[in-house]
Amino acid sequence: MQDQIASLKDAEQKLKAETAKVKRLETERDALLVKNTNLNSDLKKAEVYKEKYYKLTKYKWIVWGLGVWILV
């Protein structure tokens, strides 16, 4: 009987430890989800900026071309 009680108390302690571990991991998961959402929004903003930059590079080459043409 004593062995069963000791085993039960040991199992309860393990259960409490695992429950705390699960709560910690759930908190970490939630933090990672928030961070992932923020990074995705930043990525979308960066892609919009990249598209605008590439659209404006043609003007940069036109200016350089005109500058070289004037020097020649």
Side-chain angles (χ1 to χ4, degrees), residues 25-43:
L25 289 173
E26 286 176 346
T27 303
E28 185 179 344
R29 180 201 63 204
D30 293 340
L32 287 173
L33 285 173
V34 168
K35 188 174 183 179
N36 191 23
T37 303
N38 292 338
L39 288 174
N40 279 335
S41 70
D42 290 345
L43 179 63

Side-chain angles (χ1 to χ4, degrees), residues 11 14 16 34 37 41 43 48 51 56-57 61 65 68-69:
K14 287 181 181 178
K16 285 180 184 178
V34 168
T37 303
S41 70
L43 179 63
V48 169
E51 288 177 15
L56 293 175
T57 55
W61 290 112
V68 169
W69 183 257

Side-chain angles (χ1 to χ4, degrees), residues 44-60:
K44 288 179 184 177
K45 289 177 186 176
E47 287 176 354
V48 169
Y49 176 77
K50 181 181 168 183
E51 288 177 15
K52 287 181 182 179
Y53 175 78
Y54 283 129
K55 286 180 182 178
L56 293 175
T57 55
K58 64 181 177 184
Y59 297 113
K60 178 178 78 171

